[in-house]
Amino acid sequence: MNLSRNWLNQFVDVRDIEDKAYCDAMTDSGSKVEGYEKLGQEISRVVVGKVLSMERHPNSDHMFTCQVQTAPDKTEQIVTGAQNVHPGDFVPAALDGAHLPGGIVIKPSKLRGVDSNGMLCSMAELNLDEHDEPGKEANGILLLDATDADIGTDIHDFLDLTDTVVEFEITSNRPDCLSVIGLARETAVTFDRPWHLPAPVVKGPAGGDPIESYLKVSIAAPDLCSRYAAKVLRNVKIGPSPRWMRRLLCASGVRPINNIVDITNYVMLEYGQPMHAFDYRQIEGKTIQVRRAHNQEAFRSLDDQDHTLDSGMLVIADAKKACALAGVMGGANSEIVADTTTVVFESACFDGISVRKTAQKNGMRTESSSRFEKGLDPENCMPALLRACELAQLLGAGEVVDGTIDVYPGKKDLYRMPFEPEKYNRFLGTDVPVENMLHTLEKLECKVEDGIITVPSFRNDLRCMNDIAEEIIRIWGYNRIESTNIRAETTQGGRTPRQQFTYDLENTLIGLGFSSIQTFTFVSPKIYDRIRLPQDSPLRRSVVISNPLGEDTSIMRTTALPSMLDVLARNSNFNNESACLFEMASVYLPGENADELPEEKTYLTVGAYGKVDFYTLKGVIEQALRANGIRNLTFETAPEHPVFHPGRSALVRSADGTALGTFGQVHPLTASNYNLSAPVFLASLDMDMLYNAAEHKRHYTPLPKYPAVTRDFSFVCDESLEVGKLEEVMARAGGKLTESVSLFDIYRGPQLGENKKSVSLRIVLRAQDHTLTVEEADKVSNKICKDMEFKLGLRIRS
């Protein structure tokens, strides 16, 4: 919301407060200021001048030497090339040392040998256009409607160019502040100054038929329109608005158009109540009906865009067609044009949710819709309508027809709640005097009588004790709250066990040389094709975002592997030789029913390329999980997966056989979709499964007192037999004496035979209460050999 301080001063006088002090105080009281801009500050030493005489330049066929009176007793010689200037014209004259927008500085100079002590200014040179000064020539010198008495007047004063515009960030719960009046009320209470809001005064009827003979209004959708008021203007004269109105509109970021349209925009900015004006000639059947649109109903808006409506949208219609999209934009079929003679002013209150959805579906968010969607006060409709009529009479834009149409089926009683000052102070931890509370609420137009607060209709955000306490403390001043000890029992903050587990796991991976990343959870549907996911895969069923930023962010991901591949591909494109990354990635799995919330799961996703291979990643996973209480992992060949290379991927299982996730090398076809030529490795582990598999209580294990005994074994087996199976059999055969089993060599050669390999394993045996004897170690070794032969059909390699 852009607020003109000139406009503000019409309601509350704060001219003595500097701009920065004003902005700081308003921010402190809850009306956040984004910044402010001084209009016209780039212009200096430009005055109203009168052209006394003009002579042809002796050395130019298109330039003139002018004698310009710039003060009652001063004349300057100025050379100009403008062809629209004549003796007797009043013009903006930039004097010696003048500054103009764009950093231009005017100095005396010679133009083809003739002295020129200034410059005559065009609209563009004063940063104006045809909307600021309608009817003036855009390509020539700006000719002023001045008199001899105005000569020497500063151009700021003559053209009303001096103002400060303050930009406010208005939160969605304060639509009342999307208006000059709302911000004037906040200003008055912030600085504790009086303010006044004059009631609109509309002169008596001009005679003739009453409004009932012009128009009939009905509301067919009272759930979407709580009030609809209208007045009629006849003998309308379309023309430009006066300069003071144009300046205030421009300062507020609204382009002036003509007096009738400008009145509706002026009232919208002043009262916060959007209005619309219809050309009465275009209203067929002299009827206005507020109804739902018909499905596939065609509508052309004021910006000449065609729209197809549906029954969820509200329209303002006549007997045959839709004339406006309620709360959003009027229709081209009822637009105010140059020969309009009778106008219908509309002031209504529409359902905010309906307006927002309609604007969103049609891609036409406007100043009007941005206000309606926040929920407006129906009580504001009539004052705004009367103000529009008052301005029409003030500007001589038309005559107000006798009578007002006011259809108000949704009137509600004002909200009431108890006044509880002790409770407010206890809640806030303050000692604000009751008198101060009452004064603040009174300034905010909250009436307090017999211990009951009556909330004004424009404050829908005040509905409980906390809301009133907030109003009191923001005006009292947050900076006046003294530091005190907490007055209630508290608990010591900390992480939950699940959060601590995640935190420790992240730190372990960082210690292992991996970097944490974070990617977006909303992605493009095309990612499933890039990772070659089958068309019938359940992972393709995603949560669809109803209002996406674009196609690339239109669904919620069901797997985080494409996101990791994107990051790895970006690093590869930047010529980074290696990358080791991980993410605690959220994925969203849709429920069975459309209205069911999706299941949010977290996966530890690891990605790497460069100085890593399959076994490096396997070791990282083992070390990270072991350090966080997950031991006795087993690995087996993973089922076929489109992301992973067949035969170079593994399934990770916990001690009880629960599948924790998958890791391995990325399939070459998948990698090529990301332009990754070097081998890339990924892992995806379910955090829920990891947490459940972890031993969260740490047990101290002292250093061993007795020495260990090692035995090495080599077995010839089929190429397809997994080493993990051999390790499992050996560990079980060693029983309680087994401390570790590890692979230390794999050999392949022609003497072993086709599709055969020799696997060499080392088992470490240790007893906790004595030194193992050779006989005990041999006994375990014999059991290992027997179990290998019995369970796997293997014998010691000779």
Side-chain angles (χ1 to χ4, degrees):
M1 172 72 186
N2 291 337
L3 175 68
S4 159
R5 289 199 64 181
N6 288 347
W7 202 344
L8 173 69
N9 287 325
Q10 297 178 17
F11 300 96
V12 54
D13 190 353
V14 287
R15 284 173 287 189
D16 60 318
I17 300 175
E18 293 292 332
D19 292 328
K20 187 175 186 309
Y22 173 79
C23 295
D24 290 345
M26 292 298 289
T27 297
D28 288 344
S29 67
S31 301
K32 183 184 177 185
V33 174
E34 291 291 311
Y36 66 91
E37 177 187 6
K38 287 179 173 291
L39 302 184
Q41 66 176 347
E42 293 182 302
I43 301 173
S44 65
R45 290 187 57 76
V46 180
V47 300
V48 176
K50 181 179 181 180
V51 180
L52 300 178
S53 64
M54 299 179 65
E55 296 181 357
R56 285 282 182 185
H57 193 292
N59 300 317
S60 172
D61 59 355
H62 70 281
M63 300 177 73
F64 297 90
T65 302
C66 305
Q67 300 300 318
V68 182
Q69 184 180 3
T70 58
D73 57 350
K74 190 174 183 180
T75 302
E76 299 285 0
Q77 178 172 291
I78 298 176
V79 177
T80 181
Q83 305 298 309
N84 68 320
V85 179
H86 303 88
D89 287 342
F90 293 88
V91 294
L95 307 178
D96 177 19
H99 287 74
L100 297 176
I104 299 173
V105 180
I106 305 301
K107 297 180 179 179
S109 61
K110 285 183 179 292
L111 297 179
R112 295 194 180 184
V114 176
D115 290 334
S116 180
N117 298 318
M119 185 179 78
L120 306 185
C121 300
S122 67
M123 285 195 292
E125 287 159 341
L126 296 176
N127 204 20
L128 303 174
D129 58 28
E130 62 273 16
H131 299 294
D132 297 291
E133 295 294 327
K136 303 297 183 180
E137 187 173 342
N139 298 320
I141 299 301
L142 173 59
L143 303 182
L144 305 174
D145 300 323
T147 65
D148 289 336
D150 298 316
I151 294 174
T153 301
D154 190 291
I155 203 67
H156 291 93
D157 300 327
F158 187 81
L159 293 180
D160 295 333
L161 296 179
T162 304
D163 197 357
T164 298
V165 177
V166 182
E167 182 184 357
F168 285 91
E169 178 189 337
I170 307 300
T171 54
S172 59
N173 66 321
R174 292 301 304 275
D176 59 299
C177 288
L178 285 170
S179 65
V180 178
I181 290 173
L183 290 173
R185 183 186 294 110
E186 289 293 313
T187 299
V189 70
T190 297
F191 294 96
D192 197 17
R193 296 195 175 186
W195 79 295
H196 63 285
L197 176 59
V201 177
V202 180
K203 297 176 183 178
D209 296 332
I211 192 172
E212 288 77 13
S213 63
Y214 283 82
L215 195 66
K216 292 182 180 179
V217 175
S218 62
I219 299 178
D223 56 324
L224 301 182
C225 176
S226 57
R227 189 175 191 180
Y228 193 97
K231 287 189 79 70
V232 174
L233 263 64
R234 66 182 187 183
N235 297 329
V236 172
K237 301 177 182 63
I238 303 297
S241 302
R243 179 179 287 125
W244 63 265
M245 179 176 280
R246 298 198 305 270
R247 290 288 180 268
L248 294 178
L249 288 175
C250 289
S252 302
V254 176
R255 187 185 70 181
I257 298 176
N258 59 53
N259 51 3
I260 295 298
V261 176
D262 291 352
I263 285 171
T264 61
N265 288 331
Y266 188 92
V267 172
M268 176 185 68
L269 294 170
E270 187 174 61
Y271 278 75
Q273 172 62 44
M275 293 188 60
H276 188 64
F278 299 97
D279 188 334
Y280 178 73
R281 295 174 302 179
Q282 308 303 326
I283 300 177
E284 300 188 55
K286 297 182 179 181
T287 299
I288 284 181
Q289 184 182 38
V290 186
R291 61 167 173 82
R292 283 178 166 82
H294 306 307
N295 280 323
Q296 302 300 311
E297 183 171 4
F299 174 75
R300 170 165 284 196
S301 52
L302 279 172
D303 56 359
D304 290 326
Q305 299 296 315
D306 291 320
H307 304 274
T308 302
L309 310 182
D310 60 51
S311 59
M313 303 176 186
L314 190 69
V315 297
I316 313 301
D318 59 20
K320 294 185 178 180
K321 63 184 182 301
C323 300
L325 207 50
V328 182
M329 187 180 289
N333 54 22
S334 59
E335 180 182 6
I336 302 299
V337 292
D339 62 344
T340 298
T341 57
T342 306
V343 167
V344 176
F345 274 150
E346 164 198 283
S347 180
C349 189
F350 305 113
D351 177 69
I353 296 176
S354 171
V355 171
R356 182 177 182 276
K357 289 182 176 179
T358 299
Q360 189 178 51
K361 286 181 180 179
N362 290 280
M364 50 193 304
R365 194 167 189 265
T366 61
E367 286 281 349
S368 175
S369 68
S370 68
R371 285 169 168 78
F372 274 119
E373 68 186 23
K374 294 173 177 62
L376 296 186
D377 175 19
E379 294 295 325
N380 201 29
C381 293
M382 191 55 65
L385 182 61
L386 296 177
R387 175 60 168 157
C389 294
E390 180 185 42
L391 288 170
Q393 292 181 334
L394 179 65
L395 272 54
E399 301 172 356
V400 180
V401 170
D402 184 24
T404 302
I405 293 178
D406 185 14
V407 184
Y408 195 2
K411 187 174 179 62
K412 297 180 181 178
D413 294 332
L414 296 178
Y415 189 82
R416 291 175 172 81
M417 68 177 83
F419 176 60
E420 304 168 300
E422 293 181 1
K423 205 174 198 180
Y424 305 146
N425 274 326
R426 188 167 62 251
F427 176 71
L428 297 169
T430 58
D431 293 307
V432 181
V434 176
E435 295 76 14
N436 185 278
M437 294 184 185
L438 292 171
H439 180 68
T440 297
L441 293 175
E442 180 184 356
K443 296 283 285 186
L444 292 170
E445 300 187 28
C446 295
K447 295 181 180 180
V448 182
E449 295 178 352
D450 300 327
I452 299 296
I453 303 174
T454 302
V455 180
S457 58
F458 57 83
R459 291 301 302 272
N460 284 329
D461 60 313
L462 302 183
R463 287 297 180 267
C464 66
M465 180 275 294
N466 307 51
D467 298 330
I468 300 298
E470 180 187 8
E471 296 300 292
I472 291 169
I473 196 59
R474 72 181 180 89
I475 303 302
W476 173 257
Y478 292 109
N479 56 344
R480 297 174 67 178
I481 300 177
E482 297 181 359
S483 299
T484 59
N485 292 326
I486 297 174
R487 300 178 182 175
E489 293 184 1
T490 61
T491 57
Q492 184 177 1
R495 299 185 182 92
T496 65
R498 171 64 181 266
Q499 290 171 336
Q500 187 64 47
F501 175 76
T502 302
Y503 177 78
D504 292 340
L505 185 55
E506 289 177 331
N507 279 342
T508 304
L509 287 166
I510 291 171
L512 290 169
F514 283 70
S515 299
S516 176
I517 65 170
Q518 189 170 9
T519 58
F520 290 116
T521 57
F522 34 87
V523 295
S524 168
K526 297 177 182 177
I527 65 165
Y528 299 136
D529 294 328
R530 295 187 74 186
I531 63 171
R532 305 185 310 113
L533 204 63
Q535 293 297 324
D536 59 350
S537 172
L539 291 179
R540 282 186 176 268
R541 184 169 171 262
S542 308
V543 177
V544 179
I545 301 173
S546 58
N547 56 340
L549 298 174
E551 183 184 3
D552 289 343
T553 55
S554 60
I555 62 171
M556 304 300 290
R557 66 187 179 190
T558 58
T559 173
L561 294 178
S563 302
M564 178 60 73
L565 284 169
D566 276 330
V567 178
L568 292 174
R570 192 176 304 115
N571 278 272
S572 177
N573 292 336
F574 291 161
N575 293 325
N576 292 330
E577 293 184 359
S578 64
C580 297
L581 310 172
F582 75 90
E583 178 184 13
M584 293 297 175
S586 296
V587 300
Y588 297 84
L589 307 177
E592 294 297 328
N593 303 318
D595 57 349
E596 187 178 345
L597 288 176
E599 179 187 5
E600 180 179 356
K601 291 181 67 65
T602 303
Y603 281 83
L604 169 58
T605 307
V606 181
Y609 71 85
K611 300 177 182 179
V612 294
D613 58 19
F614 177 88
Y615 295 104
T616 305
L617 184 58
K618 177 177 179 290
V620 167
I621 293 172
E622 283 186 292
Q623 178 63 24
L625 299 189
R626 185 184 301 115
N628 289 278
I630 307 175
R631 298 176 176 82
N632 301 321
L633 297 172
T634 58
F635 300 88
E636 62 183 55
T637 301
E640 187 174 341
H641 192 288
V643 173
F644 294 103
H645 193 303
R648 298 184 186 178
S649 58
L651 194 65
V652 186
R653 292 189 182 274
S654 63
D656 63 358
T658 302
L660 304 179
T662 306
F663 74 95
Q665 182 178 339
V666 176
H667 196 290
L669 295 179
T670 302
S672 67
N673 289 338
Y674 290 86
N675 296 320
L676 290 165
S677 55
V680 181
F681 299 89
L682 291 179
S684 178
L685 305 173
D686 190 325
M687 284 298 295
D688 290 334
M689 298 300 181
L690 294 182
Y691 180 73
N692 294 333
E695 177 61 49
H696 301 290
K697 291 183 179 180
R698 301 298 176 93
H699 300 283
Y700 170 70
T701 302
L703 291 173
K705 296 179 179 180
Y706 302 99
V709 176
T710 61
R711 290 286 189 271
D712 293 345
F713 298 87
S714 294
F715 297 98
V716 176
C717 61
D718 293 336
E719 189 70 54
S720 60
L721 183 62
E722 297 174 1
V723 174
K725 292 290 186 182
L726 278 72
E727 291 178 340
E728 182 182 353
V729 172
M730 288 186 68
R732 290 181 181 276
K736 294 181 179 181
L737 297 180
T738 302
E739 186 171 277
S740 66
V741 178
S742 59
L743 170 74
F744 68 87
D745 184 50
I746 295 180
Y747 172 76
R748 296 175 178 85
Q751 66 269 34
L752 297 179
E754 188 176 358
N755 293 326
K756 294 289 185 178
K757 62 184 176 182
S758 173
V759 178
S760 298
L761 300 167
R762 175 170 295 152
I763 185 169
V764 178
L765 305 173
R766 190 193 305 268
Q768 299 298 319
D769 55 355
H770 67 282
T771 300
L772 284 178
T773 63
V774 174
E775 290 76 12
E776 289 176 307
D778 289 342
K779 184 178 180 180
V780 172
S781 297
N782 293 331
K783 189 173 190 313
I784 289 173
C785 293
K786 290 180 181 179
D787 285 359
M788 283 291 187
E789 183 176 3
F790 177 73
K791 295 181 178 180
L792 300 177
L794 304 181
R795 293 186 179 182
I796 293 288
R797 176 184 172 188
S798 59

